[in-house]
Amino acid sequence: MSKLALAASLMLQAPAAIHFDSSRAWEDLRQLVAIGPRPAGSPAIEQTRKYIKDRLAAAGVGVAEQAWDDETPLGKTRMVNLIATIPGAKKDRIIISGHYDTKLFREFRFVGASDGGSSAAFLLEIARVLKGRRNPLTIELLFLDGEEAVVEWQGNDHTYGSRHYVDVGKREGTLAGARANILVDMIGDRDLRIMRDDYSTPWLTDIIWDAARRQKLDSYFVPESTRVEDDHLPFVQAGVPSVDIIDLERYQERGRWHTANDTLDAVSARSLQIVGDVVLAALPRIEARVK
């Protein structure tokens, strides 16, 4: 075989490079924000679910609904987690999760571009990317409902979707197959600055921050630490290694968190690209650690 023929053969055998396309993620984010406020139990979040399921179907990714009625300070509320699955060589799975609801506010219109929109848009694009990858473990894209407090973040008025998912997984014995959980939340901030969360699993945090350094994106994934109560905590408490990738402090400082200012003007496709590049760069090392 000639050198040219050998090179062509190797190129055909090599897996295609995967690439996070922030322009597609941005279009999803734009469409989600256009729906408007999307609190748990609302007609708008049902419209959001339809959009997510349609986009996943177009990508060839199967999705199942995990529905239940949960007790909230405003009464029983219908909630639905969406579980999209990309089969891998092994059934054990890595979860990449984020919430798709927005906080309920009556005094102003809250469209949650970063807080709820960015994570859902990210998951849709990462689903498209990983669908075309040879995954050593199954990949589960988990769209969580009810992350936001219905009234105030106290007691059990928060993280309804992640707590329900973990409870069902423990009861049915399926949680044992979850080897790691990568949570993304509020990752669209135009002034992105993601701090290390002390509640997250240290080795998983280390892999992701090292991937950011190797990608020369460590000015966005900074060494300072914080503590954030979020959808990763039920997983951590159940023994599933988990990390929270979130830009909360910077968004708060800019007066955007849980305000009418959490709009498309406050977020950017570039920030989605940064997080996508880092997660994809970290994934092989995470898989090698847990498989």
Side-chain angles (χ1 to χ4, degrees), residues 22 29 102 106 113 153 177 204 208 245 249 255 257 274:
S22 58
L29 177 54
T102 57
R106 302 191 189 281
W153 191 287
L204 190 50
I208 289 173
I245 300 175
E249 278 79 1
W257 180 65
I274 290 165

Side-chain angles (χ1 to χ4, degrees), residues 58-72:
V61 177
V63 60
E65 291 192 356
Q66 184 184 61
W68 75 103
D69 294 316
D70 217 320
E71 196 65 49
T72 79

Side-chain angles (χ1 to χ4, degrees), residues 98-227:
H99 74 98
Y100 69 101
D101 62 310
T102 57
K103 178 82 172 74
L104 174 64
F105 290 103
R106 302 191 189 281
E107 58 270 35
F108 58 87
R109 189 170 185 269
F110 181 68
V111 298
S114 192
D115 198 0
S118 66
S119 50
F122 177 92
L123 290 179
L124 285 173
E125 175 56 15
I126 210 78
R128 298 184 191 105
V129 174
L130 296 180
K131 172 64 177 177
R133 176 180 182 261
R134 292 182 181 178
N135 299 297
L137 284 80
T138 293
I139 300 291
E140 185 174 279
L141 293 313
L142 179 57
F143 297 78
L144 292 162
D145 200 352
E147 183 270 348
E148 298 286 5
V150 174
V151 179
E152 293 291 339
W153 191 287
Q154 58 187 11
N156 286 329
D157 188 18
H158 53 76
T159 60
Y160 293 91
S162 53
R163 288 188 290 111
H164 180 78
Y165 177 93
V166 168
D167 287 346
V168 171
K170 288 193 293 188
R171 185 167 64 247
E172 297 182 352
T174 57
L175 194 65
R179 307 309 304 274
N181 173 35
I182 303 167
L183 174 67
V184 293
D185 189 4
M186 296 179 62
I187 55 169
D189 186 359
R190 184 177 293 276
D191 306 307
L192 192 67
R193 187 174 186 270
I194 299 171
M195 301 171 70
R196 295 173 60 105
D197 168 58
D198 286 342
Y199 292 136
S200 296
T201 303
W203 69 258
L204 190 50
T205 304
D206 288 343
I207 287 176
I208 289 173
W209 260 250
D210 185 63
R213 181 189 58 77
R214 290 185 286 111
Q215 295 283 311
K216 301 188 185 305
L217 295 172
D218 46 334
S219 60
Y220 303 100
F221 282 73
V222 300
E224 289 86 354
S225 64
T226 185
R227 290 186 176 183

Side-chain angles (χ1 to χ4, degrees), residues 81-109:
N81 292 331
L82 297 176
I83 305 171
T85 304
I86 302 173
K90 293 183 178 180
K91 288 186 178 180
D92 282 355
R93 66 198 188 277
I94 290 178
I95 301 170
I96 306 176
S97 60
H99 74 98
Y100 69 101
D101 62 310
T102 57
K103 178 82 172 74
L104 174 64
F105 290 103
R106 302 191 189 281
E107 58 270 35
F108 58 87
R109 189 170 185 269

Side-chain angles (χ1 to χ4, degrees), residues 7-67:
S9 174
L10 291 173
M11 288 179 64
L12 287 172
Q13 295 173 22
I18 58 172
H19 174 68
F20 187 96
D21 186 343
S22 58
S23 64
R24 292 189 303 197
W26 180 259
E27 177 57 20
D28 288 324
L29 177 54
R30 191 184 68 80
Q31 294 284 352
L32 292 168
V33 168
I35 293 172
R38 307 172 297 282
S42 67
I45 202 168
E46 178 58 36
Q47 184 181 348
T48 303
R49 278 194 286 274
K50 183 180 186 306
Y51 180 86
I52 292 170
K53 290 187 291 184
D54 287 348
R55 297 285 73 75
L56 290 170
V61 177
V63 60
E65 291 192 356
Q66 184 184 61

